[in-house]
């Protein structure tokens, strides 16, 4: 395992999540540095802190510095040139995790696309700086090289996109076939580590890998099951996380897109989280679902890990995050299986509703558009 100095925000939830991300990417944290602000212009952190870290890093010699915020290329460059150490910001850390976890051909392509977009945003900045004549030869790359590098990424991106479009089309055909034979679809969604896979295993009798690490699941797994007399397909999906740049969600959209077409979406929430964490994650779920155009009428909130929380606290927490009476929610535990029948009852009721207008298969040009966002 590689070693790291971790810089994150000065609150327990951020620290816990940052540790989780480091572990998932295979880094052992040798030293934790808490900061109130990580968005200062030159180095992200203040100059004094930077010098302190320089001294520390010369002493403990970590493999990398992990910076739990998104760094601009110039900030990354400033920090790296002072500290003489490799720097991973939140984006590249998450990309590393995704890369380690990807199993399907589609998720590999999605990650590649996200990496290209990451590179591209950096290349754009490099070109901008070079053009302004501010930093000629910025990061050791001359104008000509930047341009050809930029074009090269663009070409490779084009090829990845067209493969993803083909796969998206394939998915649409599968969806249509399922609909024709009357198979209902149920998707599990939620923040990473909420317990989606554990729930999936309970609902399907599967033994997919579940673990306390973040982002255990990156590819969608689907299994057939029966909801009483109704044949149905249940899918496990990649987890959400907050502070993910839009292009990264974009890259995973074709997998997450399945949520839009599901008859029922079970959003798994870890109710054992602190109130602040719950609120942050719940909001991030709502936002992702809104981005994906998921109809809230089809959503059930499964407040999971209720075995770890007192019943009255569950209600208090549900109210705190704003799961009003109009939303369907049920406390459950995938581990003790408490209330699983009640969850299934809710799912069945939703399946039995008169069929609503089913969204059309997206046309090829729509899918293409889907991957074409502001890369040029
Ligand atoms: N106590 C308790 N632990 C649970 C419950 N459900 C899941 N867990 C634990 O929570 C951790 C994460 O569970 P996973 O099912 O891997 O979570 P996930 O949502 O699939 O996570 P990613 O695939 O990483 O996004 C594991 O250690 C599970 O054992 C529950 O009902 N009660
Ligand atoms: Mg999982």
């Amino acid at each position: 395992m590689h070693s790291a100095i971790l810089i994150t925000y000065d609150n327990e939830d951020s620290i816990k999540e940052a540790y989780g991300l480091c572990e998932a990417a295979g880094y052992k944290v040798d030293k934790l540095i808490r900061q109130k602000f990580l968005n200062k212009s030159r180095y992200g952190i203040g100059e004094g802190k930077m010098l302190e870290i320089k001294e520390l890093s010369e002493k403990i010699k970590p493999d990398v510095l992990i910076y739990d915020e998104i760094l601009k290329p110039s900030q990354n460059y400033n920090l790296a040139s002072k500290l003489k150490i490799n720097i991973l910001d939140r984006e590249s850390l998450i990309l590393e995790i995704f890369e380690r976890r990807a199993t399907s051909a589609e998720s590999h392509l999605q990650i590649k696309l996200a990496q290209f977009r990451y590179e591209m945003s950096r290349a754009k900045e490099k070109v901008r700086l070079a053009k302004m004549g501010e930093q000629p030869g910025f990061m050791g790359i001359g104008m000509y090289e930047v341009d050809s590098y930029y074009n090269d990424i663009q070409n490779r991106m084009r090829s990845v996109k067209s493969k993803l479009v083909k796969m998206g089309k394939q998915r649409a055909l599968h969806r249509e076939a399922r609909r024709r034979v009357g198979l209902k679809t149920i998707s599990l969604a939620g923040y990473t580590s909420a317990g989606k896979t554990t729930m999936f295993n309970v609902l399907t009798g599967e033994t997919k890998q579940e673990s306390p690490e973040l982002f255990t699941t990156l590819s969608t797994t689907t299994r057939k099951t029966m909801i009483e007399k109704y044949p149905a397909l249940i899918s496990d999906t990649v987890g959400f996380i907050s502070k993910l740049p839009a292009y990264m969600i974009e890259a995973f959209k074709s997998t997450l897109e399945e949520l839009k077409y599901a008859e029922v979406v079970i959003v798994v929430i870890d109710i054992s989280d602190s109130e602040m964490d719950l609120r942050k994650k719940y909001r991030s779920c709502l936002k992702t679902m809104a981005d994906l155009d998921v109809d809230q009428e089809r959503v059930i909130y499964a407040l999971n890990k209720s075995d770890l929380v007192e019943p009255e606290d569950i209600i208090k927490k549900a109210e705190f995050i704003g799961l009003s009476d109009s939303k369907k929610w049920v406390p459950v535990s995938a581990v003790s299986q408490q209330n699983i029948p009640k969850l299934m009852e809710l799912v069945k009721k939703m399946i039995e509703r008169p069929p609503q207008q089913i969204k059309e298969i997206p046309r090829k040009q729509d899918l293409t558009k889907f991957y074409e966002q502001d890369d040029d």
Side-chain angles (χ1 to χ4, degrees):
M1 215 182 212
H2 294 298
S3 62
I5 294 181
L6 167 65
I7 305 184
T8 185
Y9 286 104
D10 191 16
N11 68 69
E12 293 311 313
D13 291 335
S14 296
I15 294 171
K16 200 170 115 206
E17 184 171 279
Y19 263 96
L21 291 173
C22 289
E23 192 185 334
Y27 292 99
K28 188 174 129 304
V29 177
D30 277 348
K31 179 78 190 167
L32 168 72
I33 291 163
R34 307 154 171 245
Q35 287 288 280
K36 204 160 168 196
F37 303 104
L38 293 177
N39 288 317
K40 298 197 174 156
S41 60
R42 197 163 173 77
Y43 304 107
I45 46 176
E47 180 145 11
K49 198 76 208 171
M50 182 277 292
L51 291 171
E52 220 177 275
I53 292 170
K54 186 174 158 66
E55 203 170 299
L56 178 74
S57 139
E58 279 160 6
K59 206 163 77 201
I60 63 177
K61 298 203 183 343
D63 295 305
V64 292
L65 176 83
I66 294 176
Y67 199 94
D68 189 26
E69 202 17 287
I70 297 164
L71 280 173
K72 289 195 197 108
S74 57
Q75 291 170 320
N76 197 320
Y77 172 77
N78 292 341
L79 258 182
S81 59
K82 287 279 183 209
L83 302 180
K84 308 265 183 296
I85 178 176
N86 202 8
I87 292 166
L88 280 180
D89 71 349
R90 188 171 166 96
E91 282 180 70
S92 38
L93 182 66
I94 292 173
L95 275 174
E96 278 204 4
I97 301 171
F98 280 12
E99 206 171 12
R100 281 166 69 112
R101 298 288 163 77
T103 49
S104 71
E106 190 173 16
S107 54
H108 274 295
L109 284 173
Q110 287 168 328
I111 290 157
K112 228 185 221 162
L113 185 60
Q115 280 168 336
F116 286 149
R117 285 192 164 133
Y118 181 82
E119 287 290 310
M120 196 71 134
S121 66
R122 260 90 192 134
K124 271 184 188 164
E125 178 84 356
K126 285 177 202 168
V127 172
R128 195 182 63 80
L129 288 168
K131 282 197 178 136
M132 276 165 53
E134 250 187 16
Q135 297 188 23
F138 180 60
M139 285 174 156
I141 301 180
M143 256 307 259
Y144 168 74
E145 283 162 287
V146 168
D147 275 348
S148 65
Y149 168 72
Y150 192 84
N151 289 339
D152 181 48
I153 299 181
Q154 258 182 339
N155 286 336
R156 287 197 280 167
M157 256 172 121
R158 231 169 263 137
S159 125
V160 169
K161 279 183 200 168
S162 83
K163 282 184 196 145
L164 281 169
V165 167
K166 258 186 223 140
M167 286 176 167
K169 194 96 173 109
Q170 202 65 36
R171 256 176 209 284
L173 289 173
H174 284 154
R175 265 200 307 273
E176 180 58 21
R178 294 196 301 250
R179 193 174 66 87
R180 248 184 276 127
V181 298
L183 268 176
K184 307 291 180 188
T185 52
I186 301 158
S187 283
L188 287 158
Y191 209 82
T192 183
S193 234
K196 299 176 293 299
T197 304
T198 315
M199 190 76 81
F200 176 83
N201 290 345
V202 168
L203 299 178
T204 61
E206 268 284 337
T207 50
K208 280 274 157 199
Q209 192 191 357
E210 48 195 75
S211 94
E213 284 197 1
L214 302 180
F215 296 115
T216 310
T217 312
L218 274 190
S219 314
T220 307
T221 323
T222 303
R223 286 289 170 274
K224 199 168 163 192
T225 184
M226 296 295 285
I227 307 291
E228 289 195 0
K229 58 181 191 289
Y230 306 101
L233 291 175
I234 300 194
S235 305
D236 187 12
T237 63
V238 55
F240 308 153
I241 192 155
S242 56
K243 274 198 277 172
L244 250 202
Y247 72 81
M248 213 119 94
I249 297 174
E250 210 51 57
F252 274 82
K253 244 187 182 172
S254 72
T255 349
L256 289 170
E257 190 200 24
E258 296 293 315
L259 296 181
K260 183 157 100 185
Y261 302 98
E263 262 85 15
V264 184
V265 177
I266 303 175
V267 173
V268 183
I269 290 180
D270 180 350
I271 199 70
S272 74
D273 275 333
S274 72
E275 286 191 340
M276 284 308 157
D277 227 10
L278 267 172
R279 185 146 71 182
K280 178 186 86 182
K281 293 179 183 179
Y282 176 67
R283 283 187 181 158
S284 136
C285 287
L286 284 184
K287 183 174 178 307
T288 313
M289 282 192 285
D291 283 351
L292 295 166
D293 221 358
V294 175
D295 173 9
Q296 284 295 313
E297 284 289 301
R298 302 172 186 226
V299 178
I300 300 174
Y301 292 87
L303 309 187
N304 192 35
K305 310 197 189 178
S306 64
D307 52 300
L308 303 174
V309 187
E310 294 297 326
E312 54 278 16
D313 285 340
I314 296 179
I315 297 171
K316 235 170 62 195
K317 283 176 161 178
E319 278 170 4
F320 178 78
I321 58 173
L323 275 173
S324 54
D325 295 334
S326 61
K327 292 217 168 68
K328 292 174 245 7
W329 58 272
V330 54
V332 291
S333 166
V335 166
S336 73
Q337 308 211 357
Q338 170 198 338
N339 258 354
I340 296 289
K342 196 164 166 198
L343 173 65
M344 295 319 282
E345 182 61 32
L346 267 175
V347 171
K348 194 192 81 178
K349 273 199 190 133
M350 277 174 132
I351 286 176
E352 280 176 338
R353 284 179 324 175
Q356 297 183 335
Q357 199 191 345
I358 304 282
K359 295 197 172 79
E360 285 297 308
I361 308 179
R363 292 162 306 162
K364 180 153 191 293
Q365 54 267 48
D366 291 341
L367 277 168
T368 310
K369 213 165 61 202
F370 193 65
Y371 283 109
E372 277 307 332
Q373 301 195 345
D374 64 30
D375 289 324
D376 305 304

